[in-house]
Amino acid sequence: MTRIDKVLSDLGIASRKEIRQIIRSGRVSVDGIPVTAPESRIDPEIARLTLDGKPLEYRKFRYFAMDKPEGVITSSEDGKQKTVMDLLPAELKKLDLFPVGRLDKDTSGLLLLTNDGEFAHRVISPKQHVTKEYYAETDGDTDAHDAEAFARGITLKDGLVCLPAELIPQGRSCTVIVQEGKYHQVKRMLAAVGKPVTVLRRLAIGALRIENLRFENGICELSPPQISQIFIK
Ligand code: URA
């Protein structure tokens, strides 16, 4: 059971203080009965909540995409450096979101944030083969030999063998599609073929492409069809 003001606050409709006033004024009903005490406890998964007679949809799990800029770290907290969590608007900071996997500080692009641990595991686990597509610029041109090496499975300098990946060479830039997310994976794969990365941007996770998302202040809540796209092969 959860306090009703917390449930409404998690929906992001107003600040906690405003919500308490809204509740006290009798505008919120639970199963058709007005509730005026902000400290009342409800089960948000079964209670039918309305505000001014209009239904409020409670979602336990929330899914967001961010167009991560360069220069911020993908971590939930850091004393000194700016993190992706610092970029969230105040109402989303309350949702216990965490980043799904990591992008390096100097990598930009598509980053998912959620409060659903099982979903995050499905996206990250190499067993699920959720593809991640990157645009890379390299010091030196990539070519068909590099593409073949990626398709066979690159052995990194420390001996770690990567799953087969796709590399589409376009001179100084290339597209790389991987199915796993080892530490500095794309940079290390390209370094292993002698083409150090100078720019890296994630363009897609599964079939969810960054160019199809409408970001507002760099963040976008994903709809159920958009979430499904992540798992489309
Ligand atoms: N691979 C990398 O090397 N860096 C990233 O940020 C993501 C994938």
Side-chain angles (χ1 to χ4, degrees):
M1 300 288 271
T2 314
R3 278 179 64 124
I4 191 165
D5 55 353
K6 162 96 171 69
V7 172
L8 292 178
S9 164
D10 287 351
L11 290 173
I13 54 168
S15 72
R16 192 90 178 237
K17 193 172 162 206
E18 288 162 342
I19 284 167
R20 282 194 206 108
Q21 283 161 356
I22 291 172
I23 295 170
R24 286 198 189 99
S25 65
R27 294 169 58 196
V28 176
S29 294
V30 177
D31 298 328
I33 299 162
V35 170
T36 52
E39 61 280 5
S40 307
R41 289 180 179 267
I42 59 165
D43 180 343
E45 298 203 41
I46 53 174
R48 278 181 300 110
L49 276 174
T50 55
L51 171 63
D52 298 331
K54 294 196 192 93
L56 289 172
E57 193 201 337
Y58 178 75
R59 285 160 293 162
K60 183 173 177 195
F61 295 126
R62 309 279 296 266
Y63 308 88
F64 294 86
M66 174 183 278
D67 185 352
K68 178 195 168 297
E70 289 177 26
V72 283
I73 60 166
T74 311
S75 149
S76 295
E77 257 175 67
D78 188 282
K80 294 180 217 98
Q81 301 193 70
K82 198 168 188 184
T83 78
V84 291
M85 305 314 285
D86 295 326
L87 303 180
L88 295 177
E91 71 273 14
L92 300 189
K93 282 194 176 128
K94 298 178 293 196
L95 293 184
D96 299 327
L97 299 174
F98 55 86
V100 178
R102 273 167 195 265
L103 288 178
D104 297 334
K105 185 173 178 183
D106 58 359
T107 301
S108 67
L110 184 57
L111 179 72
L112 304 176
L113 297 132
T114 186
N115 55 352
D116 181 350
E118 224 168 275
F119 163 84
H121 181 72
R122 273 181 77 200
V123 176
I124 296 167
S125 167
K127 287 191 195 132
Q128 300 289 335
H129 303 286
V130 173
T131 55
K132 282 97 189 173
E133 180 180 323
Y134 295 86
Y135 165 85
E137 289 177 16
T138 50
D139 200 355
D141 290 3
T142 45
D143 56 28
H145 292 295
D146 301 327
E148 282 163 27
F150 270 56
R152 280 195 302 270
I154 290 280
T155 303
L156 300 177
K157 286 184 178 158
D158 61 4
L160 216 65
V161 181
C162 298
L163 288 173
E166 197 176 341
L167 179 135
I168 304 161
Q170 291 137 351
R172 285 273 147 151
S173 64
C174 61
T175 303
V176 176
I177 303 170
V178 294
Q179 316 170 35
E180 54 189 341
K182 295 188 203 303
Y183 181 64
H184 292 330
Q185 172 139 10
V186 174
K187 289 177 186 163
R188 289 160 78 206
M189 288 170 92
L190 282 161
V193 294
K195 315 286 158 64
V197 166
T198 54
V199 172
L200 191 61
R201 177 166 171 78
R202 184 151 65 193
L203 301 179
I205 299 177
L208 183 73
R209 303 197 62 81
I210 198 162
E211 71 265 24
N212 297 335
L213 298 174
R214 286 226 187 143
F215 293 98
E216 244 176 74
N217 300 322
I219 192 103
C220 153
E221 181 149 24
L222 298 176
S223 64
Q226 287 170 328
I227 296 163
S228 305
Q229 285 182 329
I230 294 167
F231 301 103
I232 293 175
K233 305 265 186 268

